[in-house]
Amino acid sequence: MTRRSSREEQLYLLTYDVDRTAEASMEDDCRHIASPGQDSNIDGLPDDQAGQTPPVYRVYKRRWFGLMQLVLMNIIVSWDWLSYSPVANTAATYFSTTSSVINWLSTAFLFAFVTASPLTIYVLHTGGTRLALITSALLILIGNWIRYAGTRASPPSFLAVMFGQILIGLAQPFVLSAPTHYSSLWFSPQGRVSATAIASLANPFGGALAQLINPFLASQPKQIHPMTLYIALISSFATIPSLFIPSSPPTPVSASSSQKPLPLKTTLHLLSRNKNYILLLIPFAIYVGLFNAISSLLTQILTPYNFSEDQSGIAGALLILVGLLAAAISSPIIDRSKRYLPLIRTLVPVIALSYLAFIWAPGTRTVVAPYIISAILGAASFSLVPVALEWAVE
């Protein structure tokens, strides 16, 4: 009996010690959960058991300031691009030249855009959105006032205007290419398509303003000079906030935004071998070129069929404003569904048919056909832009 009692006592003491150890461990864990320190993770477990502390992601209200400045810069640079296209005939009289020569202001702008694109890739990859916006702001500021000086000269200097136009053309890719980079850095995945759409589609909105407003600002040749001054003043004020854009959020807003980008050479090498990216790039590039062409030459396309500059401007505005409305509706839907590819496959044929139909639209000599086709073309084109950009990023 004595020996059995001794064993029972040892077993009791052993069980008591185990229970006390467990209670002490639980109390320690509770202290970690109540006030986790550097040696505990978000679940209150020691690092040696659960690894490093999981990051906590958040978005910042200041992201809207940068997005609005991107919107403003894209509006201005596009308005600068189409300053003279909606009033090509009036501008031709003012500069004592032909409307075909005036068209070269828009064409030279686009050539400058292509020339600056490689540098834009490097700046965005190394310096980010802030450096890209400051670079663009300086070029826009200088280019606008050189154009104004050209219109103020006696006689008006078309070469000076062309030089200023080229400088502004060099500025455009820095702001037009920045939205996807900015949205991936500052916005959560749930809001990136909408943020990209807002900033990207602001660019053609500037073109719509040019199509609508410039024919009223310069209905006579002598008004080309004050029109250029007004645009220069608006552009100058619009560039100032670029100096105050923060370079990056204090902390990453998502897991993807916290990842460091691949080296530029590696990125270009991978893209050149990505078949899906190339299949997207080719039709998208062609459609961007076609849209820029019809935006620049719409007045010259319709004028031989007795359409006025005001009527051509309304057609250009419909092309853009209806497109902006369609993109505003479709972008949030695509943001939630992420069904990029089905929409791309639907919109591309619609755009192709719209361009084909526009061949015969001016020949009707009524505004109905050009206006309807412009509206359909704008809706399909603008809905495609943010979807194609985000699909390319994916």
Side-chain angles (χ1 to χ4, degrees), residues 21-319:
T21 303
E23 289 175 4
S25 178
M26 291 174 64
E27 290 175 359
D28 184 64
D29 287 346
C30 288
R31 283 194 296 270
H32 279 290
I33 295 173
S35 57
Q38 295 180 351
D39 58 342
S40 65
N41 61 27
I42 197 170
D43 295 321
L45 296 176
D47 284 342
D48 56 356
Q49 294 182 10
Q52 61 182 4
T53 303
V56 178
Y57 300 116
R58 57 164 295 190
V59 293
Y60 296 86
K61 291 182 179 180
R62 73 190 74 173
R63 71 190 187 279
W64 296 109
F65 173 71
L67 182 64
M68 290 302 101
Q69 181 57 18
L70 265 176
V71 168
L72 188 59
M73 292 286 286
N74 271 291
I75 290 174
I76 288 303
V77 77
S78 186
W79 192 345
D80 290 342
W81 164 42
L82 293 179
S83 296
Y84 303 100
S85 294
V87 290
N89 297 326
T90 304
T93 303
Y94 182 76
F95 290 106
S96 301
T97 185
T98 64
S99 58
S100 297
V101 174
I102 297 298
N103 289 338
W104 274 101
L105 290 171
S106 176
T107 305
F109 182 101
L110 297 176
F111 276 121
F113 178 101
V114 175
T115 303
S117 294
L119 180 60
T120 302
I121 296 173
Y122 176 79
V123 169
L124 283 172
H125 202 82
T126 57
T129 307
R130 173 179 167 81
L131 181 58
L133 281 177
I134 292 175
T135 303
S136 179
L138 290 174
L139 290 170
I140 290 173
L141 189 66
I142 297 171
N144 267 281
W145 289 107
I146 290 177
R147 291 197 316 178
Y148 171 69
T151 60
R152 188 177 174 83
S154 182
S157 174
F158 180 78
L159 290 179
V161 174
M162 174 66 78
F163 181 62
Q165 188 82 353
I166 290 173
L167 290 180
I168 302 172
L170 295 173
Q172 185 174 23
F174 290 98
V175 293
L176 191 57
S177 303
T180 51
H181 183 278
Y182 185 83
S183 63
S184 65
L185 190 65
W186 283 88
F187 285 81
S188 65
Q190 290 75 22
R192 285 177 185 167
V193 173
S194 296
T196 300
I198 292 171
S200 300
L201 298 178
N203 188 272
F205 179 68
L209 292 178
Q211 298 276 9
L212 279 175
I213 297 175
N214 289 16
F216 294 99
L217 292 178
S219 58
Q220 301 176 17
K222 65 181 181 181
Q223 295 175 322
I224 292 293
H225 164 242
M227 181 196 76
T228 306
L229 174 61
Y230 299 148
I231 296 174
L233 289 171
I234 295 171
S235 299
S236 299
F237 284 115
T239 59
I240 295 174
S242 299
L243 300 173
F244 306 101
I245 298 293
S247 57
S248 62
T251 59
V253 300
S254 67
S256 59
S257 65
S258 63
Q259 297 174 356
K260 293 184 178 180
L262 293 173
L264 184 57
K265 289 184 179 180
T266 304
T267 302
L268 295 175
H269 177 73
L270 291 174
L271 286 177
S272 66
R273 294 176 176 271
N274 190 319
K275 185 182 298 184
N276 291 331
Y277 175 76
I278 294 173
L279 289 175
L280 177 65
L281 173 65
I282 294 173
F284 185 71
I286 292 173
Y287 281 158
V288 169
L290 289 172
F291 188 86
N292 288 338
I294 198 169
S295 299
S296 304
L297 303 175
L298 192 56
T299 300
Q300 282 69 56
I301 292 172
L302 296 178
T303 296
Y305 297 92
N306 297 324
F307 291 92
S308 66
E309 288 184 341
D310 290 341
Q311 290 173 327
S312 301
I314 293 172
L318 283 173
L319 177 73

